[in-house]
Amino acid sequence: MVKIFNIALRGKTISCDYLPEDSTLKGHIEVNTETGEIETVVYSKYKYAKETYASFAKRKLIDVYKDGEPFPDQAVSMWY
């Protein structure tokens, strides 16, 4: 599970902070809304699967963007 929050759209870039499951160590990600590519990522310092959590945060962030504004205060992505 990953929680995204502080969702913001600036021009063609959507960004958020994210928290991996059971962690208080946040990361940050910025995604180009036209290409879906990550422009910037600051990985969480959580000790497990840094790339996995960032990847799921990216997917959820794109889903939130496609749903349109206003964006929620936070959103959660869960998998198993």
Side-chain angles (χ1 to χ4, degrees):
M1 180 186 86
V2 65
K3 179 171 82 170
I4 66 171
F5 58 100
N6 294 336
I7 301 164
L9 179 64
R10 290 180 201 89
K12 297 177 184 173
T13 302
I14 191 163
S15 65
C16 71
D17 293 325
Y18 70 92
L19 284 173
E21 181 174 10
D22 298 326
S23 174
T24 59
L25 304 171
K26 72 179 180 178
H28 181 81
I29 192 163
E30 298 178 2
V31 177
N32 182 300
T33 58
E34 292 183 342
T35 65
E37 298 296 317
I38 294 175
E39 293 182 343
T40 304
V41 64
V42 177
Y43 292 109
S44 167
K45 300 294 185 204
Y46 187 58
K47 60 184 173 181
Y48 301 109
K50 292 179 182 184
E51 293 84 7
T52 300
Y53 286 107
S55 176
F56 276 97
K58 172 192 165 190
R59 290 181 197 174
K60 189 63 177 181
L61 186 59
I62 290 171
D63 289 345
V64 165
Y65 172 73
K66 288 180 180 179
D67 287 343
E69 295 184 79
F71 301 127
D73 293 332
Q74 63 183 15
V76 174
S77 179
M78 296 173 42
W79 64 94
Y80 56 95

